[in-house]
Amino acid sequence: MIESVNLDTWFDSLTIHLKQELNLDECVILLSESTEDKFNDHFTHPLALDPEKLLHLGRYLVKYYDQNLRAKEAVLLSTRLEIESTGLQLDVGVNSWQSISLHSIVYKQFYWGAIALFYPQARQQWSEAELACINSAANHCAIAIYIHLLQQEKEKIVGGLDYTFHECRQPLSAILGLARMLNEQIYGSLNQKQLEYVQAIITSGEHLLSLTNNFLDLAKIEAQKEELFLEKVLVQEVCEASFSLVQESANRKQTSLVLAIEPGINFCIADPLRLRQILVNLLSNGIKYSEKGTVTLKVTKNDQGLYFTVQDTGIGISTENQKKLFQPFAQISNTYNRRQKGTGLGLVLSKNLAILHGGNLTLESEAGKGSCFTLYLPFRH
Ligand code: ADP
C-alpha cells in the first residue's frame, strides 16, 4: 500500500491522525538534514497556522537533539521554560502549546529524522498507550521513507539499465546480421569448425537480444509506458504466424506442432504483435522443455472471451516451482533447465501483456506430465 501511495499524502494523514488521537496542538514530521538531501521536497508537514515558524522551531530542535534522536532516545521538553533552555527563541502568543516531545524515525539502523508533537499542556510523562501509538506512527513513517528511497534507487537503476540495453541493441544486431551472413556462406565456404563457431555466435547473440528486448519491454510495462495497439486480429492467421516462427526449433527437437481452433472463432481484438509475442513465448517454452513430444495450441471460447491454450508433453513443473513462475528471472533450477538457454523473463512479460489486454495467463502442470498455459483474452467491442 505504502508503495502506491504518495508519501506527501501519507504523511499528511499520519499527522492528522496523531493530532486527533493524542489531542495535540501540532504534529510535525521533520527529516534530518542528511535525509532531506535525498528528497526533492522536505516532507515536513505542519498543520499550524504559522507553518514556517513551526518548521524552523522543529528543525532547530531536531538538530539540537541530534545525538539523542540518533540513539533512539525520545526527548521530552516538559515546559516552555525547558524549551527555551535550548537557546530557542519562542514567539510567545502565536502558539498555545506548552510542551514538546521528539521521537526518532528509525528503520534498519537508518535514522531519518523525528516526529515532533506539540502538547497543549505542560507535561512530565506519557502513558503506555500514548507511547505505543507514537512508536507505531514513527515506525510506519520510517518504513514509508525507506520504501520511498528504495523506489527512487530502483528507478535510477532501471533507468541506467534501460539506457545500457538500448545502447546494446544496435551493435548486437550488427554482430548477429554479419554472423548470419557468414553462416549462409555467401562470400565463401567455411570449414566445419568455423561453421560451428559462427552458429555459436548466432545462438548466443539471439539469446542476448531476446534478454535485451524482454528487459526493455518489461521496464516499459513497469513504468506504465507500454501502449497496446488494439485491432481486429484473425485468430487463424496469428496462430499460424506464431507457428512459423517456432517451426524450426520444433523440427530440431523432433516435436510436432498441432493447431486446433474451435469452429466459429474468427477474430479477436488485441495488439497483434503482442499477442504473437505471447504465443511464440508459450510455444517455444513448450518446445524447449520437451523432447520428441507434441505441443498443441488450442483456441476455445466461452461467453467471456477467448482462451489460447498451449499444452506440451514435456518435463512439467512441480507445484512448488509453479509458485516461483511469473516472477522476473525465475529460472527453476534443475539439471534439464541448466542445459536450456533462457532469460527467465518470458513468462513474466507474457503475463503482464495478458493483463494489459484485460486478460490473464495461467498455468496447470504436473512434474513429468507436461504443462498447460492458458492465455485468456476477454471480448472487447
Ligand atoms: P526462460 O526464458 O528461462 O524460458 P520463461 O519466463 O519463459 O523464461 O520461463 C521461466 C521458467 O519457467 C523456465 O526457466 C522454466 O524453468 C519454466 N518453464 C516455462 N515454460 C515451461 C514449460 N512449458 N515446461 C516446463 N517448464 C517451463
Side-chain angles (χ1 to χ4, degrees):
M1 218 176 83
I2 290 171
E3 243 179 295
S4 63
V5 165
N6 173 306
L7 205 53
D8 245 322
T9 324
W10 200 82
F11 280 162
D12 271 345
S13 64
L14 191 81
T15 43
I16 291 169
H17 180 73
L18 272 180
K19 210 175 153 182
Q20 283 169 352
E21 208 51 35
L22 303 172
N23 291 320
L24 303 170
D25 264 357
E26 305 296 347
C27 171
V28 194
I29 294 168
L30 297 146
L31 301 186
S32 71
E33 269 178 13
S34 56
T35 313
E36 275 192 8
D37 287 347
K38 292 188 174 40
F39 290 88
N40 296 329
D41 305 307
H42 286 315
F43 285 113
T44 32
H45 287 257
L47 296 165
L49 293 173
D50 192 349
E52 272 315 307
K53 245 177 217 153
L54 202 63
L55 275 185
H56 170 74
L57 190 148
R59 287 216 181 97
Y60 177 91
L61 289 177
V62 165
K63 214 166 165 183
Y64 190 88
Y65 287 104
D66 188 67
Q67 281 194 350
N68 304 62
L69 292 168
R70 278 179 195 278
K72 294 193 212 175
E73 282 171 27
V75 175
L76 178 61
L77 301 167
S78 307
T79 58
R80 284 201 161 225
L81 217 61
E82 206 174 325
I83 300 169
E84 277 169 336
S85 72
T86 63
L88 191 69
Q89 299 291 316
L90 282 185
D91 195 351
V92 186
V94 177
N95 302 297
S96 62
W97 39 265
Q98 299 297 318
S99 58
I100 300 176
S101 70
L102 303 170
H103 307 263
S104 13
I105 301 174
V106 177
Y107 183 63
K108 286 197 175 194
Q109 314 303 326
F110 291 111
Y111 164 70
W112 307 122
I115 302 184
L117 308 179
F118 296 76
Y119 303 87
Q121 69 282 57
R123 52 183 312 177
Q124 301 296 331
Q125 60 193 36
W126 304 277
S127 70
E128 289 277 323
E130 246 179 333
L131 265 186
C133 176
I134 301 167
N135 281 339
S136 141
N139 285 340
H140 279 85
C141 251
I143 294 170
I145 295 170
Y146 186 74
I147 291 176
H148 183 84
L149 290 179
L150 277 186
Q151 200 68 17
Q152 275 188 347
E153 283 304 309
K154 186 178 141 197
E155 274 161 27
K156 257 192 256 163
I157 293 169
V158 171
L161 278 175
D162 205 77
Y163 176 78
T164 313
F165 275 125
H166 260 297
E167 290 298 298
C168 279
R169 239 188 332 200
Q170 212 179 359
L172 202 52
S173 302
I175 293 170
L176 263 173
L178 294 172
R180 283 187 187 124
M181 263 159 67
L182 281 176
N183 190 40
E184 282 164 17
Q185 308 187 55
I186 303 168
Y187 300 108
S189 52
L190 301 181
N191 66 35
Q192 200 49 40
K193 212 59 199 162
Q194 288 168 332
L195 258 182
E196 209 180 288
Y197 289 167
V198 163
Q199 278 158 10
I201 295 175
I202 296 174
T203 320
S204 302
E206 281 171 348
H207 181 216
L208 206 52
L209 194 61
S210 92
L211 178 71
T212 306
N213 289 336
N214 281 348
F215 178 87
L216 288 172
D217 282 348
L218 257 183
K220 224 167 146 192
I221 292 179
E222 280 228 352
Q224 295 175 355
K225 285 187 190 146
E226 174 65 26
E227 255 185 278
L228 292 181
F229 296 96
L230 296 177
E231 57 182 77
K232 213 165 160 176
V233 182
L234 289 170
V235 172
Q236 175 103 17
E237 212 169 278
V238 73
C239 292
E240 280 171 1
S242 310
F243 268 31
S244 70
L245 285 170
V246 296
Q247 190 65 56
E248 205 182 301
S249 49
N251 294 346
R252 252 183 276 134
K253 297 285 296 274
Q254 295 177 33
T255 290
S256 38
L257 299 176
V258 178
L259 176 60
I261 303 174
E262 191 182 296
I265 295 177
N266 297 315
F267 66 87
C268 62
I269 304 292
D271 182 322
L273 288 180
R274 293 314 198 178
L275 174 56
R276 196 183 67 190
Q277 187 177 0
I278 302 173
L279 293 178
V280 167
N281 180 37
L282 297 179
L283 289 167
S284 41
N285 273 352
I287 297 164
K288 205 179 340 174
Y289 299 104
S290 42
E291 215 71 54
K292 294 184 183 169
T294 306
V295 177
T296 310
L297 169 58
K298 250 191 233 164
V299 190
T300 52
K301 65 170 179 190
N302 63 10
D303 47 2
Q304 310 287 315
L306 289 188
Y307 295 83
F308 294 79
T309 309
V310 177
Q311 171 118 42
D312 66 58
T313 51
I315 57 167
I317 304 165
S318 68
T319 325
E320 193 190 322
N321 282 336
Q322 285 180 34
K323 288 182 206 141
K324 295 186 204 155
L325 290 186
F326 303 118
Q327 282 170 23
F329 305 107
Q331 274 211 323
I332 296 157
S333 171
N334 59 35
T335 44
Y336 190 87
N337 254 8
R338 259 171 254 133
R339 279 187 279 130
Q340 304 302 318
K341 278 208 161 62
T343 62
L345 288 176
L347 282 180
V348 200
L349 183 58
S350 301
K351 181 150 183 142
N352 276 301
L353 288 172
I355 292 170
L356 264 185
H357 275 87
N360 203 358
L361 179 63
T362 51
L363 159 69
E364 271 173 55
S365 178
E366 208 179 311
K369 292 194 177 163
S371 311
C372 180
F373 286 88
T374 303
L375 164 69
Y376 160 64
L377 288 186
F379 286 131
R380 286 167 182 265
H381 299 288

